[in-house]
Amino acid sequence: MEKLGIYVQVPFCQTKCTYCNFHTGVVASSRFAPYVEAVCREIRAHPELLRAAGVEWPGRLGRSDAARLQEDGTTRGAAGKRPASPPGAGRAPGGPHVETTLAVDTVYIGGGTPSLLNPAHLGNILDAIQESFGRNRDHVNDLGKRQRRDAEDAEIRREEENEPFASSARPRQASGWPCVTQLEEVTLEADPETVEAEKAAAWVRAGINRVSFGLQSFVDRELIAAGRMHRRADIYRAVPILREAGIWNISVDLIAGLPHQTKESWSQSLEELVAMTPEHASVYLLEIDEGSRLGKELLQGGGKYSAGAVPGEDEMAEFYEMAQEALAAAGYHHYEISNWAKPGFESKHNLKYWRRQPYLGFGAGAHSFSGTERWANAHDAAAYVAAVQSGRLPVEQHEKLTAESALEEELFLGLRQLDGIDIGRIEREYSVRLAGKFDPLALAGLVELDGNVVRLAPGRLSVSNEVFVELMR
């Protein structure tokens, strides 16, 4: 049975951070309810909406689709550059897709700042997922006895109150494709200043068992320069609230390269992160591109948004290496270029992205992947709501993968994972020969070859993009 992930995009924020290059906006809270209603409508009607938009789903999903991509007549052979306009794959030989039973095991509500929503809105979204993909309460929460007990108690209370979809004995399922939920991980992205005890308790009752915190820094000067709403004190106020509510899986983010960041201030943020003992940590290098106000200012040589106080590339690389050392010493497993976890707390949902496993995205700007196709909704939230209300899905991007482009993804995403790439598996599934492809990179010290496995060299993780460019030549 395939393991399907569900992503829900909430593109609203209280303010736009200077470094942010996401399609998010600051809007009146009165727009939250219509947006949530549209998301719930998309979730419930997704089979019909996707068919009408020309998306083939569910089909045969995941890595096994390499064979299907080749059957469709796409390129066989060594990896090469992606075509500028990939040919459409068409339907697989033998007619329409066969219905597939899908197990939904992860939900990720991201943004934006989805913790801005009323807890009832989040509950409505999760109810729509449970209604549309079936229900199995026995698997709602497997990440800790206390959290599981709290979730089951919440279910009982809901049954007693006769709320919709409360009975696990009578799983509801939308007409169309057979699915069943076995929710092991339900993540909510949150900013510290939005966390309140009553809201956190409501999140747990709704089924949320993991919170991803956008902390970015423990230094107020850096937070102010970046346009963040929270301060260091908010972090220390929010985390105990989550623990008390029963959230025992917390992930925190830091950004290396914020304005005014120094080796000393970065060391402080790392020390405070480790002392806080979250289950998961992500460290990102500041992205410099025209998609953000800060990035555009840097590229134009201006001084607004504290652009002149941004550390250089060498400093950012040093900060990343400091994070590697500090987190390793604290017992965190480095499993993806930007991600570390305590044993057993790797992000189950995000691993689907890196392993090319199927996921469905709902909401404005949300991306989806079936194994043979990628598609995304329009980014504009108002246009998205209007489209869904009129009974159509505003698919803005839609790509049918070729065997060549899928292989390219396997290599790029595989090298992001510290476990590396199983060359033998790739060769078998894609009918290619990769012998010798990695030798020049190994001689240059960019990758390591360990039998049938290739992985990024430990000292090259902070400059991984350079390795990817060389690999795709």
Side-chain angles (χ1 to χ4, degrees), residues 219-234:
V219 179
D220 283 351
R221 186 185 188 194
E222 297 169 12
L223 294 171
I224 293 169
R228 298 293 294 175
M229 291 287 290
H230 75 274
R231 300 293 178 262
R232 176 177 177 273
D234 293 313

Side-chain angles (χ1 to χ4, degrees), residues 102-118:
L102 305 175
V104 177
D105 62 345
T106 67
V107 175
Y108 194 107
I109 305 175
T113 311
S115 57
L116 287 175
L117 296 182
N118 187 299

Side-chain angles (χ1 to χ4, degrees), residues 16-20 290-298 305:
K16 188 81 169 180
C17 300
T18 63
Y19 57 80
C20 180
E290 291 193 355
S292 70
R293 291 175 294 164
L294 175 58
K296 188 173 183 179
E297 192 70 13
L298 279 164
Y305 312 116

Side-chain angles (χ1 to χ4, degrees), residues 399-412:
E399 177 189 14
K400 294 186 177 182
L401 300 179
T402 64
E404 185 178 42
S405 59
L407 174 58
E408 200 170 279
E409 289 182 357
E410 289 273 9
L411 300 179
F412 171 78

Side-chain angles (χ1 to χ4, degrees), residues 81-398:
K81 294 182 179 179
R82 182 185 302 215
S85 299
R91 287 192 179 273
H97 294 324
V98 177
E99 290 185 350
T100 305
T101 297
L102 305 175
V104 177
D105 62 345
T106 67
V107 175
Y108 194 107
I109 305 175
T113 311
S115 57
L116 287 175
L117 296 182
N118 187 299
H121 291 151
L122 297 171
N124 290 342
I125 291 171
L126 291 170
D127 279 348
I129 291 171
Q130 296 283 17
E131 176 188 359
S132 300
F133 292 91
R135 175 164 232 168
N136 185 339
R137 194 185 72 180
D138 290 340
H139 297 277
V140 166
N141 189 342
D142 290 322
L143 295 181
K145 291 182 179 180
R146 176 175 177 179
Q147 196 166 341
R148 177 171 182 147
R149 183 177 65 247
D150 290 345
E152 291 176 344
D153 289 344
E155 291 288 332
I156 293 170
R157 284 193 296 272
R158 292 176 62 162
E159 290 177 16
E160 291 173 346
E161 295 167 3
N162 294 317
E163 289 191 13
F165 327 128
S167 175
S168 61
R170 299 185 301 278
R172 292 176 180 246
Q173 185 168 295
S175 60
W177 309 319
C179 301
V180 60
T181 53
Q182 298 178 335
L183 299 183
E184 299 177 10
E185 181 185 272
V186 182
T187 301
L188 175 71
E189 287 188 350
D191 284 354
E193 76 278 7
T194 66
V195 175
E196 301 167 2
E198 189 174 333
K199 287 173 64 174
W203 295 342
V204 173
R205 289 195 298 271
I208 292 164
N209 59 21
R210 183 175 186 268
V211 167
S212 179
F213 256 152
L215 304 188
Q216 318 315 357
S217 172
F218 282 82
V219 179
D220 283 351
R221 186 185 188 194
E222 297 169 12
L223 294 171
I224 293 169
R228 298 293 294 175
M229 291 287 290
H230 75 274
R231 300 293 178 262
R232 176 177 177 273
D234 293 313
I235 300 171
Y236 284 97
R237 178 193 60 82
V239 171
I241 289 175
L242 293 180
R243 297 298 196 197
E244 182 64 26
I247 300 290
W248 297 104
N249 191 353
I250 294 177
S251 177
V252 302
D253 295 352
L254 292 182
I255 294 180
L258 291 177
H260 302 296
Q261 198 169 73
T262 64
K263 183 175 180 180
E264 290 72 27
S265 70
W266 178 247
S267 179
Q268 175 190 332
S269 285
L270 290 174
E271 289 174 3
E272 295 199 46
L273 183 156
V274 167
M276 189 167 280
T277 65
E279 286 68 36
H280 188 279
S282 300
V283 175
Y284 302 105
L285 299 183
L286 179 71
E287 292 186 14
I288 299 174
D289 57 43
E290 291 193 355
S292 70
R293 291 175 294 164
L294 175 58
K296 188 173 183 179
E297 192 70 13
L298 279 164
L299 293 173
Q300 293 177 348
K304 291 195 298 186
Y305 312 116
S306 299
V310 171
E313 290 185 4
D314 290 343
E315 289 177 280
M316 291 188 206
E318 182 182 8
F319 293 168
Y320 179 87
E321 291 166 1
M322 289 170 62
Q324 284 181 281
E325 295 176 6
L327 292 168
Y332 288 87
H333 168 52
H334 194 182
Y335 69 103
E336 195 271 344
I337 286 178
S338 300
N339 291 274
W340 289 257
K342 292 289 188 180
F345 285 94
E346 294 81 3
S347 173
K348 293 179 172 62
H349 183 86
N350 288 339
L351 279 169
K352 295 181 186 299
Y353 302 150
W354 305 317
R355 293 174 177 173
R356 300 188 74 252
Q357 294 172 345
Y359 53 90
L360 274 177
F362 298 105
H367 288 245
S368 301
F369 174 62
S370 69
T372 58
E373 301 182 48
R374 293 188 182 277
W375 64 96
N377 290 340
H379 286 97
D380 184 83
Y384 163 82
V385 171
V388 174
Q389 287 177 341
S390 67
R392 65 181 181 85
L393 189 63
V395 174
E396 191 173 66
Q397 304 171 36
H398 184 194

